[in-house]
Amino acid sequence: MGKIHVHEFITLDGSYEDPSFTMPYGFADGMGELLGSFMSDCTGILLGRNTFEMFAPAWSTRTVDDDPGAPFFNDTTKYVVSSTLDDTSAWQNSTVIGAYDADRIRELKHERDLYISGSGTLVRALLRDKLIDELHLLVYPVVLGSGARLFDGLADLPLTLVGTDVFDNGVVHLSYSSAD
């Protein structure tokens, strides 16, 4: 049985919707190694439509010279959860698996370890259905007061803190596992 590993960039008040809030903080030393540490076991990427549409033009042309994560993002099979997207040809190794279906995700999880970056709506559904094994929150020291929040609409969600890191740019990494 595989695992689902999630990483989210969020604000102190839980907003994730517009990742431009991360720009003033840069990418601190150690953040890439951290992300790589839980991406390395994954043989599939699970994405919602919005994140796929943001990532495809950004990642599809990157090389390892541009970003050490490019081979993972470009060579790994990407599974896009969407009821409206038909064409994934803009990004190699991508396929639409249809609208959110917890049983379909369980099947994928049974076959492989999956990595999710962003895709907040999808992540909320997976949290609700208790399908996430590792939740990595990179919390930025800013309060936006608006935007979609990661935990809106969720209740009875016990998590176990398994690790923390603090970066020089003020970002805090909180790593949780499912308490079930």
Side-chain angles (χ1 to χ4, degrees), residues 13-45:
D13 58 343
S15 180
Y16 69 87
E17 190 172 29
D18 178 359
S20 65
F21 66 82
T22 66
M23 299 306 282
Y25 300 93
F27 206 70
D29 290 341
M31 290 176 83
E33 288 108 29
L34 170 74
L35 297 176
S37 72
F38 47 87
M39 289 168 46
S40 63
D41 292 333
C42 297
T43 58
I45 300 172

Side-chain angles (χ1 to χ4, degrees), residues 6 38 43 67 74 80 84 92 94 104 128 132 157 163 169:
V6 174
F38 47 87
T43 58
D67 188 304
N74 288 319
V80 184
T84 59
Q92 67 187 24
S94 298
R104 177 66 178 118
R128 182 190 64 237
I132 293 175
L157 185 64
N169 60 355

Side-chain angles (χ1 to χ4, degrees), residues 97-172:
I97 62 170
Y100 180 78
D101 178 342
D103 290 332
R104 177 66 178 118
I105 303 296
R106 280 185 193 92
E107 288 173 18
L108 281 173
K109 182 179 171 179
H110 184 73
E111 299 167 5
R112 63 186 66 231
D113 279 5
L114 298 166
Y115 170 74
I116 302 173
S117 176
S119 300
T121 300
L122 173 60
V123 168
R124 278 199 314 267
L126 293 167
L127 284 167
R128 182 190 64 237
D129 291 332
K130 298 186 177 9
L131 289 172
I132 293 175
D133 300 283
E134 293 181 12
L135 178 62
H136 298 273
L137 302 176
L138 284 102
V139 184
Y140 283 73
V142 62
V143 173
L144 295 180
S146 64
R149 297 204 170 37
L150 188 60
F151 299 105
D152 279 357
L154 295 173
D156 189 27
L157 185 64
L159 300 170
T160 301
L161 182 66
V162 294
T164 61
D165 299 283
V166 178
F167 297 101
D168 291 341
N169 60 355
V171 173
V172 176

